[in-house]
Amino acid sequence: STSASCAMPLHGEILACNGLPTSMLGRIDPYVLTKVISKSGEVKGESRTATKKNAGGDPVFGDNDARALNFAGVKGGSYVQFTVYDKDKVNDDYLGQVTFPVDAIPGKPTEYVLSLGFGRKTVSAGKKTPNGTITVRLSAKHHDKLCGVW
């Protein structure tokens, strides 16, 4: 594993979300807030996509949607947190969240489809409704002259 003092660049893109919970009319304006969080829980970097107006539950983020992620000096043991919100006039609504360990991200850009967890509402038979998924492409440069190779 990476030493906690070893810092590495982390790159990626937010590509899409699927099956997000929508309003009764099916209209939501989703965006993704990405945070790099250290082992101790401190936020070390933050990035936000553009809001996809009236995108519904399956937004696709293009090059012009600020979807790129570039974080420098990310330490081993950190994790990346993706939180999806619905932009509202007053308070933005939480739609789902997932965290991913930085140490599991390979050097070669790799696509992941990650579950955004389950909603608070239960449907018939007491099952919780899924919040959908987020598709991201991530890479982290773990090979560093100062850190050695892990």
Side-chain angles (χ1 to χ4, degrees), residues 15-16 21 43 49 53 65 108 113 119 144 148:
L15 300 177
V43 176
T49 65
K53 295 239 182 248
D65 295 322
K108 189 177 108 188
V113 178
D144 190 331

Side-chain angles (χ1 to χ4, degrees), residues 98-121:
V98 63
T99 57
F100 197 81
V102 169
D103 292 343
I105 300 169
K108 189 177 108 188
T110 304
E111 238 174 75
Y112 297 94
V113 178
L114 306 171
S115 168
L116 291 166
F118 290 88
R120 294 182 200 93
K121 296 177 187 165

Side-chain angles (χ1 to χ4, degrees), residues 2 7 16 36 48 54 62 64 75 78 82 117 127 131:
T2 331
V36 172
R48 182 189 186 284
N54 291 324
N64 297 330
K75 293 192 175 175
S78 300
F82 303 99
K127 291 183 179 172
N131 287 336

Side-chain angles (χ1 to χ4, degrees), residues 54-129:
N54 291 324
D58 302 309
V60 174
F61 295 92
D63 288 334
N64 297 330
D65 295 322
R67 70 177 186 175
L69 305 172
N70 292 296
F71 297 107
V74 178
K75 293 192 175 175
S78 300
Y79 57 95
V80 190
Q81 179 184 75
F82 303 99
T83 309
V84 184
Y85 293 96
D86 174 19
K87 181 83 179 133
D88 276 334
K89 287 185 176 91
V90 185
N91 289 325
D92 296 350
D93 294 327
Y94 169 89
L95 297 178
Q97 184 178 77
V98 63
T99 57
F100 197 81
V102 169
D103 292 343
I105 300 169
K108 189 177 108 188
T110 304
E111 238 174 75
Y112 297 94
V113 178
L114 306 171
S115 168
L116 291 166
F118 290 88
R120 294 182 200 93
K121 296 177 187 165
T122 53
V123 289
S124 59
K127 291 183 179 172
K128 290 191 179 276
T129 52

